[in-house]
Amino acid sequence: MSEITVPRGALIGAALLIGFTVTAITTSRHYDVGRLTVQTAQAGERRMLIFEPLPNGEMMVLSERRKPVAHLVIEGDTFAMAAVRALAMQRDDREFAHEFRLLVQRDGAGHVELADPDTGRTVKLQGFGQASARAFARYLDAADRQHAPG
């Protein structure tokens, strides 16, 4: 059998490298180096809207005071209806619900989110394109006009 010998300097170098790596990891975790954090911006505007499915597959958007905000039609409001239904599918009571209360909010930078307070799910609408975000911003603006005195 042949003996393999490893030079003493290589062993010391490997031990130092392992020590440095463990120290770097511990220090990085302690000081949050390289950690990606997503901060939720505080909503500048927020309105609870009621999305009420209609028998023909369309949907009514109502304000909290149950005043009509919009009428979603199958051929034209496909994204809005799909987003509402996707959030509704996360609910345990979706079979019995005749309406879905969702929070539409816009932060100071103009980013629009759709949130379900019952499940805690949130959809950041900018990820689906500006047109999709503008669709919900339109409902938020219409609900704001209804809350304005006048």
Side-chain angles (χ1 to χ4, degrees), residues 92-110:
D92 294 331
D93 66 345
R94 69 180 177 270
E95 298 296 325
F96 307 106
H98 63 281
E99 64 186 28
F100 303 104
R101 293 178 175 269
L102 300 175
L103 185 65
V104 179
Q105 51 193 15
R106 179 176 23 219
D107 65 14

Side-chain angles (χ1 to χ4, degrees), residues 43-131:
E45 302 171 68
R46 58 188 328 172
R47 290 280 180 254
M48 184 68 71
L49 296 178
I50 302 166
F51 294 86
E52 186 177 291
L54 299 174
N56 60 0
E58 296 177 349
M59 203 175 278
M60 281 300 295
V61 182
L62 306 168
S63 68
E64 279 186 286
R65 297 178 183 166
R66 302 203 60 82
K67 293 184 179 180
V69 172
H71 181 180
L72 304 181
V73 295
I74 294 173
E75 297 183 19
D77 298 309
T78 309
F79 174 78
M81 291 176 26
V84 170
R85 288 187 175 125
L87 284 174
M89 291 300 292
Q90 304 296 320
R91 293 181 169 207
D92 294 331
D93 66 345
R94 69 180 177 270
E95 298 296 325
F96 307 106
H98 63 281
E99 64 186 28
F100 303 104
R101 293 178 175 269
L102 300 175
L103 185 65
V104 179
Q105 51 193 15
R106 179 176 23 219
D107 65 14
H111 298 117
V112 182
E113 294 180 352
L114 182 64
D116 185 350
D118 293 337
T119 63
R121 304 262 181 181
T122 301
V123 177
K124 295 184 182 301
L125 298 171
Q126 261 60 25
F128 296 97
Q130 291 299 318

